[in-house]
Amino acid sequence: MEKHNNGNSPGTLYVVGTGPGSELYMTGAAAKALETAETIIGYKTYLDLIPSFLTKEKEVISSQMMKEVDRCRESLTIADSGKKVALVCGGDPGIYAMAGLVYELARENDYSCAIEIIAGLAAINSCAARLGAPLMHDFAAVSLSDLLTPWELIEKRLRAVAAADFVTAIYNPKSKKRTEQIVKTREIFLEHREPKTPVGIVTAATRENEKIAITTLDNMLDNEITMQSTVIIGNSQSYTWNDLIITPRGYRGKYSL
Amino acid sequence: MEKHNNGNSPGTLYVVGTGPGSELYMTGAAAKALETAETIIGYKTYLDLIPSFLTKEKEVISSQMMKEVDRCRESLTIADSGKKVALVCGGDPGIYAMAGLVYELARENDYSCAIEIIAGLAAINSCAARLGAPLMHDFAAVSLSDLLTPWELIEKRLRAVAAADFVTAIYNPKSKKRTEQIVKTREIFLEHREPKTPVGIVTAATRENEKIAITTLDNMLDNEITMQSTVIIGNSQSYTWNDLIITPRGYRGKYSL
């Protein structure tokens, strides 16, 4: 077993979800972990969203995008040396973020620091609230990034949830280089749902540059979709009202509304 | 159009997600909405979890379970009369909670108060964090309650996500009267996944009576499952380590961990 901690008692790694962006949507537990930490590590965009009083007079390590493995390894190494470290994730560390990778690295390399996952509001929570109530029935989340997952599996999953009428949240819909997956996704859903099915596109939820578009499956590609967007496709019962998307739970059939 | 507001300017209804239970997991935005509200309405269990300094010297209306339609209607009526009202939901109001019903009632009955949805940590976020990192790949949420949804549709959805290898969060797995749906769910997943597939059962996440069980698809029914439980079934790649469930994202195939 490789030694990482140079004889010190190992410390703690907090994997902290800071939510969608605005400080208002951070939990008390996340703020407390950042306050407790001696070292704060994260991707620059997310670090910049943390209120400065939580980071001042601390070691702050800003990491590049795409360097997730390095970032997690560095966090574990510093925590193993005896420090309290906060690894910052936008959204929820447990949803398409760093929680899993931290555990995978800890397991493969026998790190012995304590690891605590602090949940945060994921895009699925914050974008849904900005759109009205689109997720109110069974839903699925699918990432279109084929960097770590073969497209065949992504397509299989899209077909399954499209056919079974799940409200579907599309993560990582598009990047500069990766533009065709969202086109294909729309085609798959059109095989199972009406062209007028409501679609919401939320970019940079709760941040200064937030953009919200309410559109349809038919017209969704006429709207700007970026790396920071989450796309929510309604189910067969979803409708729009006052620029909101509402998916009924089924009360109307059972109660007089 | 029925008049609700007796001539006053209509107020605001905040539909507030207070998260899993512990005050620590509430967002600043939720606390602010409760602070701003003149009237706070909710199901007793959730009201009891709110710190008392946020409710004191306010009108607090405690509602019974199963009375969701009445609760939402009363919230809208009071807000329409000109007041600031907070309708409290445990978890996230947008996920199997009150956000959709509030909008449905507002639309059907021409309420004119402003409505604001304040997202909170849903069971899917908080339970995942307590279990390790089970949701790290594409996932689905399915409620087993057949009160408002025909069982045939629920079963169709379970079959779809079981076959397409989604990590699956089961909401409302069981109640005193409704015990067979979780038995059938296990059978459906066993048609597609190994008996040793990791399953996590979290009951009353982050509350005093929290219980966490890490088990397998084969043995899951040997554990206590209640109305307050969320059951997370891993995908074909999920594994257990140190009493945690980890679903790899796929870094291992691409990078040296």
Side-chain angles (χ1 to χ4, degrees), chain A residues 241-242 257, chain B residues 1-2 4 10 72-81 102 105-115:
Chain A
W241 175 66
N242 284 359
L257 300 187
Chain B
M1 180 175 154
E2 202 192 331
H4 300 272
C72 290
R73 202 191 298 278
E74 191 171 7
S75 306
L76 283 160
T77 303
I78 301 173
D80 240 30
S81 78
V102 162
L105 284 164
R107 173 174 174 255
E108 297 278 337
N109 301 282
D110 289 321
Y111 285 98
S112 50
C113 58
I115 298 170

Side-chain angles (χ1 to χ4, degrees), chain A residues 92-112:
Chain A
D92 185 336
I95 296 184
Y96 299 118
M98 301 291 95
L101 181 54
V102 163
Y103 281 125
E104 286 190 78
L105 284 165
R107 175 174 173 257
E108 297 278 337
N109 300 283
D110 290 320
Y111 285 99
S112 51

Side-chain angles (χ1 to χ4, degrees), chain A residues 154-172:
Chain A
I154 300 171
E155 183 168 337
K156 181 184 178 180
R157 287 180 176 160
L158 290 170
R159 289 191 182 282
V161 292
D165 205 25
F166 279 85
V167 179
T168 306
I170 304 292
Y171 274 72
N172 306 309

Side-chain angles (χ1 to χ4, degrees), chain B residues 35-164:
Chain B
E35 229 176 286
T36 306
E38 297 155 277
T39 302
I40 298 181
I41 305 187
Y43 171 45
K44 193 175 178 312
T45 305
Y46 300 130
L47 289 178
D48 289 348
L49 292 165
I50 299 174
S52 57
F53 76 90
L54 288 170
T55 57
K56 75 172 175 196
E57 289 171 29
K58 289 188 179 179
E59 181 184 34
V60 176
I61 302 174
S62 176
S63 160
Q64 285 173 282
M65 200 173 64
M66 307 289 288
K67 293 283 184 189
E68 299 100 283
V69 177
D70 295 346
R71 199 185 309 152
C72 290
R73 202 191 298 278
E74 191 171 7
S75 306
L76 283 160
T77 303
I78 301 173
D80 240 30
S81 78
K83 282 197 171 167
K84 289 176 189 133
V85 179
L87 171 60
V88 170
C89 301
D92 185 336
I95 295 183
Y96 299 117
M98 301 290 95
L101 182 52
V102 162
Y103 280 125
E104 286 190 78
L105 284 164
R107 173 174 174 255
E108 297 278 337
N109 301 282
D110 289 321
Y111 285 98
S112 50
C113 58
I115 298 170
E116 197 178 323
I117 311 296
I118 317 274
L121 287 188
I124 205 164
N125 308 284
S126 48
C127 297
R130 303 305 274 162
L131 291 169
L135 292 183
M136 293 307 304
H137 216 299
D138 303 326
F139 63 90
V142 180
S143 166
L144 298 193
S145 172
D146 55 1
L147 208 64
L148 302 172
T149 307
W151 172 251
E152 293 66 35
L153 178 58
I154 300 171
E155 184 169 335
K156 181 184 177 180
R157 286 180 177 161
L158 290 170
R159 289 192 183 282
V161 292

